Amino acid sequence: MFGFSLSATEPDSIAHIIQVALAPAFLLSALATLLNVFSTRLGRISDKVDSLTAEAARATEAEAGRLARRLTFLRRRSFVLDVAVVLASLAGGLIGLAVLTLFVGALRDAATASVLFACFGAALVCTVAAIAAFMTEILMAGRGVRDAVDRQQDQVSTPR
């Protein structure tokens, strides 16, 4: 199925070889970008947790309850990001296995093609799942922002 010969000079064969070689590289690049975004967002969550923890140390009882709810929400967001990081990292490892299988593909047997298909397919599934986890975290962040704005508006509209 993936039997490439070094003497293949037909334009279609060369184009196919290039496509097969570049697809994993582009996906790895995209995964690296996603992991960078995930780690940036996780850093922001960590900073928020640090500031809320410092606030909680000097908060009144009513404020401490509100801060505890916000910390619980940030904990859930960080967990969802952890899932996204694990899935994207797993996808990267599977792509590495797929590329390794391409190099071992000189054996040209059906087992090699099956391993290649399974690794690349699993990497794509993990990538989609990582994007879904990231989307969930983004939606949670948006909800958190809206809740904070609503609380602020309630405080402003409520006379003291």
Side-chain angles (χ1 to χ4, degrees):
M1 179 175 194
F2 291 104
F4 304 124
S5 67
L6 293 176
S7 63
T9 56
E10 299 170 20
D12 289 342
S13 296
I14 294 171
H16 181 69
I17 292 169
I18 292 170
Q19 287 171 343
V20 169
L22 288 180
F26 285 125
L27 189 52
L28 278 175
S29 177
L31 285 170
T33 302
L34 277 175
L35 286 168
N36 185 30
V37 170
F38 297 162
S39 66
T40 299
R41 293 195 62 81
L42 196 54
R44 292 190 59 167
I45 290 172
S46 177
D47 292 343
K48 286 181 183 181
V49 167
D50 290 344
S51 69
L52 289 176
T53 303
E55 273 185 57
R58 58 183 183 279
T60 65
E61 197 171 316
E63 290 173 332
R66 179 184 61 83
L67 293 173
R69 285 189 301 277
R70 287 182 65 193
L71 286 168
T72 299
F73 182 73
L74 289 173
R75 183 179 182 279
R76 285 192 317 235
R77 281 183 59 195
S78 70
F79 176 76
V80 172
L81 271 173
D82 286 348
V83 169
V85 167
V86 167
L87 289 169
S89 299
L90 183 60
L94 288 167
I95 291 168
L97 285 174
V99 171
L100 180 63
T101 303
L102 279 172
F103 285 115
V104 176
L107 300 175
R108 296 187 184 123
D109 62 3
T112 302
S114 297
V115 170
L116 176 61
F117 181 78
C119 289
F120 200 73
L124 290 173
V125 167
C126 287
T127 301
V128 170
I131 290 169
F134 180 60
M135 179 192 66
T136 302
E137 191 274 335
I138 290 289
L139 294 173
M140 290 171 71
R143 190 182 94 206
V145 168
R146 288 186 296 278
D147 289 347
V149 169
D150 290 345
R151 278 193 307 275
Q152 184 65 27
Q153 288 175 339
D154 288 344
Q155 288 176 355
V156 170
S157 65
T158 304
R160 295 183 189 227

